[in-house]
Amino acid sequence: MGRLETWLVNSPFRAPFARAEARRFRRMTALSEGAALLEIGCGAGLTTRALVSVFRPARLAAFDFDESQVERARRRLAGLPVAEVRQADATALPYADGEFDAVIEIGVLHHMSAWRAALREIARVLTPGGVFCFAEPTKGWLTRGLYRVFPHPPEAMFERDELLAALRGAGLTPGATGRSLLWSVFGVAAKG
């Protein structure tokens, strides 16, 4: 991510959106309190804090590829006993098969050239029946819409139908999907 996009992701202006996104994901899933959650691309921990508040998990593992973001998140989340933060790569997750009841990502896949490999890893670490919650801008939004001012790798861009097909290819069955103010695809998929 560029400097401006990093600032936006970490700014206090993002916090109300993170809470709203967490609440919407909560309504879209049947997860009970005490679930094990994994957040992909935690940034400075704004969404992580919202996920803990809304889902009340027994455990929330969060990671980011960028070590400086991980350090920011560790500082922000200090004192939250259920949150563990580390540096990792979404295409080679350092977690066991079936370790999480839900995996949540908000605006991360469109930064990754190997986003399909990340989907396979997400499916691997989900329990059977586990859910993947995702929010992404499509190629149209990245090239002509809201996000066009931020550079993104062309190979990381996808349209809604392409993302849904890739979810199926990874062993995840798309459920309810829609849009939000910030995301052209907002939805859930379940591991069969």
Side-chain angles (χ1 to χ4, degrees):
M1 286 191 307
R3 283 176 148 193
L4 178 58
E5 196 171 4
T6 300
W7 177 83
L8 285 170
V9 166
N10 294 327
S11 81
F13 303 112
R14 176 81 181 99
F17 291 102
R19 285 189 297 275
E21 291 157 354
R23 286 192 300 267
R24 186 170 176 191
F25 282 140
R26 183 76 171 112
R27 289 189 304 270
M28 295 173 86
T29 66
L31 288 173
S32 59
E33 288 187 11
L37 307 181
L38 173 64
E39 180 191 9
I40 294 178
C42 65
L46 283 169
T47 300
T48 314
R49 187 172 285 284
L51 293 171
V52 168
S53 173
V54 170
F55 281 91
R56 303 200 182 286
R59 173 184 178 217
L60 194 150
F63 73 88
D64 202 284
F65 187 75
D66 182 342
E67 185 63 44
S68 65
Q69 292 284 66
V70 170
E71 289 307 316
R72 287 182 189 113
R74 285 181 178 144
R75 285 192 301 274
R76 173 171 275 131
L77 302 170
L80 276 180
V82 299
E84 56 191 69
V85 183
R86 69 182 341 173
Q87 192 278 332
D89 181 343
T91 65
L93 294 175
Y95 303 104
D97 295 359
E99 192 168 339
F100 298 98
D101 301 303
V103 175
I104 299 167
E105 76 82 23
I106 299 175
V108 177
L109 293 178
H110 73 278
H111 290 282
M112 301 174 55
S113 299
W115 60 273
R116 287 178 182 86
L119 292 179
R120 289 189 294 275
E121 278 293 278
I122 289 164
R124 181 185 66 76
V125 300
L126 278 171
T127 59
V131 294
F132 173 45
C133 302
F134 56 93
E136 286 292 329
T138 57
K139 183 177 182 177
W141 278 31
L142 291 169
T143 58
R144 299 180 304 277
L146 182 67
Y147 295 93
R148 71 182 175 277
V149 298
F150 305 113
H152 292 92
E155 63 276 8
M157 297 181 193
F158 43 80
E159 293 296 351
R160 179 185 182 278
D161 291 342
E162 187 178 3
L163 174 60
L164 297 179
L167 287 167
R168 288 184 200 95
L172 300 167
T173 304
T177 61
R179 292 178 176 217
S180 72
L181 179 64
L182 297 179
W183 312 110
S184 49
V185 183
F186 195 103
V188 296
K191 180 175 178 178

